[in-house]
Amino acid sequence: MNSEKLSYRLETVTKYIPQDYKLADIGSDHAYLPCYVIQNGIVPWAVAGEVVEGPFQSARRQVEEEGLTDKISVRKGDGLEVIKKGEVDCITIAGMGGALIASILEKGKDKLEHVKRLILQPNISAISIRTWLLENGWGLIGEEIIEEDGKIYEILVAEKGKEKQAYHDDLEKGLLFGPFLLREHNPTFLKKWEGEKINWLTIAEKLEQASNTVENRKKKEELMKKIKMAEEVLEDEKD
Ligand code: SAM
């Protein structure tokens, strides 16, 4: 992979970046995504933010090699601390766990005032992001689920306001499965939740054999609730 040929996962993320928006890519590693969107004329200027020295240096090198130092500012720092208020219109955060992405947004809340769009690609626990968005006044405007190299990824796109609108009348299922993905009900979505259901059933069986503590009973109850929801979703016809 390089900035000319992005992974299908990152290319899918870039599809949701509006033309001419200024971008910050947080957790940018090699800065492949910012280089690609500049080279393809999608955005005029971008920040590549990285907290770890090694990936930060890789990002710097990549931007230099591509001759893009005047269009991409590579900055070292934790989450949104690398951007100034009002500096960018759009933020991408990809390839991390959902809880980490939500914590980056929470810590950097004050930087989001003028940001118009968030494009988030969690590797796991998209529910943490959907919950954060809902509680912080960001409405989902789209979602996509894709498979690459045997792994399934969700991409969440949000803008300010109308935070409950996408969920229609089922917030609990929507937060777990994704309101748009739930309605689209495509084969990748079904594959993901069939797999999760099998995982949960295995864990529930192990808990059954574990000691009968209050904590284990509570964990099992929560799992059984999720398994039931997954079964309902998998049986549902496409809307
Ligand atoms: N975004 C790229 C992608 O999707 O291919 C890189 C993903 S890589 C697995 C995650 C990157 O996020 C790592 O380089 C890591 O150092 C960086 N990262 C993790 N926490 C961060 C934080 N709080 N602020 C900035 N970068 C962070």
Side-chain angles (χ1 to χ4, degrees):
M1 185 176 76
N2 54 44
S3 60
E4 278 156 41
K5 180 81 190 84
L6 275 190
S7 64
Y8 175 47
R9 172 181 62 84
L10 286 180
E11 201 187 325
T12 307
V13 170
T14 68
K15 268 189 356 195
Y16 295 94
I17 302 171
Q19 183 72 37
D20 295 330
Y21 268 28
K22 280 182 270 162
L23 171 77
D25 181 45
I26 303 300
S28 203
D29 198 349
H30 286 78
Y32 289 141
L33 186 148
C35 288
Y36 176 89
V37 290
I38 295 274
Q39 282 162 337
N40 285 276
I42 299 168
V43 311
W45 184 81
V47 172
E50 231 323 313
V51 74
V52 175
E53 181 64 18
F56 166 70
Q57 291 300 344
S58 307
R60 274 225 320 214
R61 242 186 340 264
Q62 183 71 23
V63 169
E64 271 167 30
E65 277 167 19
E66 301 288 340
L68 295 174
T69 48
D70 56 334
K71 296 212 168 79
I72 301 175
S73 175
V74 184
R75 301 178 186 172
K76 191 174 168 196
D78 183 5
L80 305 189
E81 77 174 20
V82 296
I83 51 171
K84 291 192 206 96
K85 250 190 205 177
E87 204 175 20
V88 298
D89 308 297
C90 178
I91 294 177
T92 51
I93 314 180
M96 305 175 204
L100 177 56
I101 295 178
S103 81
I104 288 174
L105 295 170
E106 178 62 27
K107 268 204 257 173
K109 257 182 189 178
D110 61 318
K111 302 289 178 61
L112 294 176
E113 201 183 323
H114 302 284
V115 172
K116 297 179 199 139
R117 182 173 287 193
L118 300 172
I119 307 162
L120 311 164
Q121 183 268 300
N123 290 342
I124 52 163
S125 189
I127 187 175
S128 308
I129 297 180
R130 293 192 191 99
T131 306
W132 186 91
L133 293 170
L134 182 73
E135 288 172 353
N136 288 278
W138 286 82
L140 277 173
I141 59 158
E143 291 176 306
E144 190 160 341
I145 188 160
I146 58 153
E147 183 169 2
E148 182 175 46
D149 299 334
K151 289 197 190 121
I152 293 178
Y153 302 102
E154 288 159 277
I155 291 119
L156 279 52
V157 187
E159 288 188 350
K160 282 206 188 96
K162 300 183 183 158
E163 58 271 22
K164 284 200 183 139
Q165 188 170 279
Y167 292 95
H168 298 183
D169 55 357
D170 198 341
L171 196 55
E172 192 176 27
K173 273 205 183 109
L175 285 171
L176 181 60
F177 300 100
F180 290 94
L181 303 177
L182 199 52
R183 288 192 283 275
E184 191 187 347
H185 223 246
N186 73 22
T188 312
F189 173 85
L190 296 175
K191 186 173 173 183
K192 175 183 167 75
W193 293 106
E194 192 57 60
E196 293 287 359
K197 191 186 89 178
I198 293 167
N199 282 344
W200 291 335
L201 282 168
T202 312
I203 302 170
E205 265 168 40
K206 286 197 181 129
L207 281 172
E208 188 66 45
Q209 287 151 20
S211 50
N212 189 21
T213 60
V214 177
E215 196 190 340
N216 281 347
R217 275 204 301 276
K218 200 166 160 241
K219 270 192 205 157
K220 184 154 178 247
E221 240 169 61
E222 279 163 15
L223 268 177
M224 295 316 290
K225 193 174 170 196
K226 288 203 285 187
I227 291 166
K228 186 166 170 281
M229 279 204 284
E231 278 168 351
E232 285 167 7
V233 161
L234 291 165
E235 278 160 20
D236 274 353
E237 288 298 311
K238 188 174 168 176
D239 280 0

